[in-house]
Amino acid sequence: MIHMDGVACTYPGESNAVLDGFSLLAQSGEFVSVLGRSGTGKTTALRVLAGFERASAGYVRLGKRLVASSFVHVPPNHRRLGMVFQDYALFPHLTVEENVAFGIRSSSGPDKRRRIGPMLELTGLMGLEQRYVHELSGGQQQRVALARALAPEPEALLLDEPFSNLDRELRAGIRREVRRIVKEAGATTILVTHDREEALGLADRIAVMGAGRVEQMGSPVEVYASPASPEVAVLIGPCKLAPGVIRGSEVTTEAGTFPVNGAGAGLGDGAEALALLRASELEIGPSNEGLDARIIYREFRGEYTEYGVNLPSGMVIRVRKRSADVFSEGDRVAIQARPGHRIVVFPRPG
C-alpha cells in the first residue's frame, strides 16, 4: 500500500538533507509506527508522503501509483490520504458533524449523511453531533479529527504525534481506542511519534529512525529483543550499555559476567563489546565477591521494586525485583541475568 524507497528531502535554503535514503514499507491494513527523537526527520517523512514536501530523490508509491520522486509530485489533494495533525486542526466554528463532513465535500448531501453516521458511531461520537470543539474533551476532539480523516475513505491514514496534547493518564485508553477504530476501518496507518510506549503498543511493525533514515524495521517484539545497534537499543527502551569482553559464550563487564545471546554479534573470544543491560532482564542477590556494587536507591512500584545499583565507575544499573524481596540502600549486591535470559551484545566502537 505504501512504499517509500531511498527518499531524500532538503528544505529550501538548507544545505543538509532532512531525509537521506529514507525507506518504509506498509502493507494494506497494517499499522506502522515511526519512532525517532526530535530532529531525526520523522515528521518530514510524513509530510513527503502526504505531499506537503517534495522528494528530491527516491520515490513514493501508494498502491501502484507513483506519487513522488525527483521528477513527479502529485498534489496532496490527489493522494487520497487522511491526516490527523498534532493539534487536530479542527474548525472551531463548525459542529462535530460539520467537521466530519468537511472531508467529504465533493459528495452529495445524501452520500455525506450515509457516510457520516457510521463514522460517528465507529468513533463513539453519536449524540455529540451538534457540539462545537470548545465543548469537547481532548479525547473527544481527537476522535473528531480521526473521524474527519477517515470519512473520505482514504487509501491510508497518517498520524502526526496525535497523543502529545493529552494528559498522560488518558493516553493508554485513547491509544487502544484509536487502534480499534483504524483496525475496524481497515485503514493502513502510519504513526510518527517520539514516545516508545506509543510506538511499541500500537504498531504491527515499528520503524526506528536515526538521522534522516530508518535504522531498523520489524515487529515490536523483534526490534526490542534484537536491536540492530546500540542507538536503536537506547531508543527502544531504557537500558545501559556496559563495556565488556567476550569470553567464550559469556561477556565479562564491570557489572558482572553474563551469558550472551546465540548470535553474539559475531564477536570472537577476547573481542571488546557493549552489553545491553535492561532492568527487567536482570536479577540481584547478596554479593559474595569482591565487586563493590551497592544499592543507592530503592523505589517501590507496587508489583515490583526498582533498585539502582552503583558500580565503581559511577555507572548506575537499574534492576527490578519482586516487591516481596527487599534489599536496603547501601547493601552490596551481585547482578546476574534472569534465569534463561541471554544478554544482547554489540561490537564496541573504535
Side-chain angles (χ1 to χ4, degrees):
M1 174 56 70
I2 295 173
H3 190 191
M4 303 177 74
D5 185 50
V7 172
C9 177
T10 304
Y11 288 119
E14 299 290 336
S15 57
N16 296 325
V18 181
L19 299 180
D20 184 12
F22 180 90
S23 297
L24 182 75
L25 181 68
Q27 305 291 347
S28 180
E30 191 175 29
F31 197 124
V32 174
S33 294
V34 180
L35 174 67
R37 292 190 175 90
S38 297
T40 54
K42 58 187 185 297
T43 294
T44 299
L46 206 66
R47 291 178 62 81
V48 169
L49 177 56
F52 299 132
E53 305 294 342
R54 290 179 175 268
S56 56
Y59 66 80
V60 179
R61 293 185 183 276
L62 298 176
K64 296 180 179 180
R65 293 190 300 146
L66 177 66
V67 297
S69 70
S70 60
F71 54 88
V72 171
H73 181 76
V74 175
N77 59 321
H78 290 158
R79 297 197 185 190
R80 295 201 60 222
L81 295 172
M83 189 159 183
V84 176
F85 297 91
Q86 186 173 347
D87 61 359
Y88 311 145
L90 298 175
F91 301 107
H93 63 289
L94 300 181
T95 64
V96 167
E97 185 176 55
E98 290 167 340
N99 265 284
V100 175
F102 184 85
I104 46 179
R105 288 169 294 172
S106 60
S107 302
S108 64
D111 187 43
K112 277 189 177 184
R113 287 189 292 274
R114 177 185 64 81
R115 291 161 68 178
I116 290 172
M119 195 53 57
L120 292 173
E121 185 173 359
L122 176 67
T123 53
L125 293 168
M126 295 297 287
L128 303 177
E129 299 95 322
Q130 301 309 312
R131 291 194 184 182
Y132 289 89
V133 173
H134 71 273
E135 299 176 302
L136 304 175
S137 68
Q140 290 169 337
Q141 290 179 26
Q142 186 184 62
R143 294 204 298 272
V144 175
L146 197 58
R148 185 180 64 183
L150 289 170
E153 299 176 331
E155 292 185 9
L157 179 67
L158 312 181
L159 307 176
D160 183 14
E161 301 272 10
F163 309 106
S164 59
N165 291 329
L166 298 175
D167 292 337
R168 178 161 291 277
E169 292 77 10
L170 297 175
R171 289 183 189 177
I174 296 293
R175 288 199 301 260
R176 288 191 290 269
E177 188 70 4
V178 167
R179 180 174 169 84
R180 177 193 66 79
I181 289 168
V182 299
K183 284 296 183 180
E184 288 187 17
T188 304
T189 305
I190 306 292
L191 163 75
V192 300
T193 180
H194 66 275
D195 188 311
R196 63 173 67 95
E197 288 185 13
E198 291 175 10
L200 292 169
L202 285 170
D204 298 314
R205 286 193 302 147
I206 182 172
V208 182
M209 279 196 73
R213 65 178 60 200
V214 172
E215 298 291 341
Q216 184 176 1
M217 188 167 185
S219 74
V221 172
E222 290 169 348
V223 176
Y224 187 84
S226 302
S229 67
E231 293 75 20
V232 171
V234 169
L235 191 57
I236 206 72
C239 64
K240 288 292 185 180
L241 295 164
V245 177
I246 300 296
R247 301 295 185 198
S249 61
E250 298 179 323
V251 59
T252 299
T253 74
E254 181 190 18
T257 298
F258 308 96
V260 302
N261 65 4
L267 298 174
D269 194 61
E272 294 187 339
L274 292 175
L276 175 60
L277 303 180
R278 291 172 170 150
S280 60
E281 299 170 353
L282 300 173
E283 285 274 10
I284 55 173
S287 176
N288 54 7
E289 303 174 358
L291 176 65
D292 188 20
R294 296 180 182 273
I295 293 173
I296 60 169
Y297 72 80
R298 183 183 72 189
E299 295 179 353
F300 178 69
R301 303 286 180 87
E303 294 182 355
Y304 64 88
T305 298
E306 180 172 300
Y307 296 91
V309 181
N310 189 53
L311 304 179
S313 67
M315 178 182 288
V316 177
I317 305 296
R318 297 164 51 251
V319 181
R320 289 178 180 175
K321 199 165 178 61
R322 288 187 312 165
S323 293
D325 300 328
V326 177
F327 288 83
S328 300
E329 292 182 8
D331 285 355
R332 197 170 73 179
V333 294
I335 304 174
Q336 304 103 19
R338 285 192 180 279
H341 183 78
R342 294 181 175 274
I343 297 296
V344 173
V345 293
F346 304 102
R348 199 188 311 182

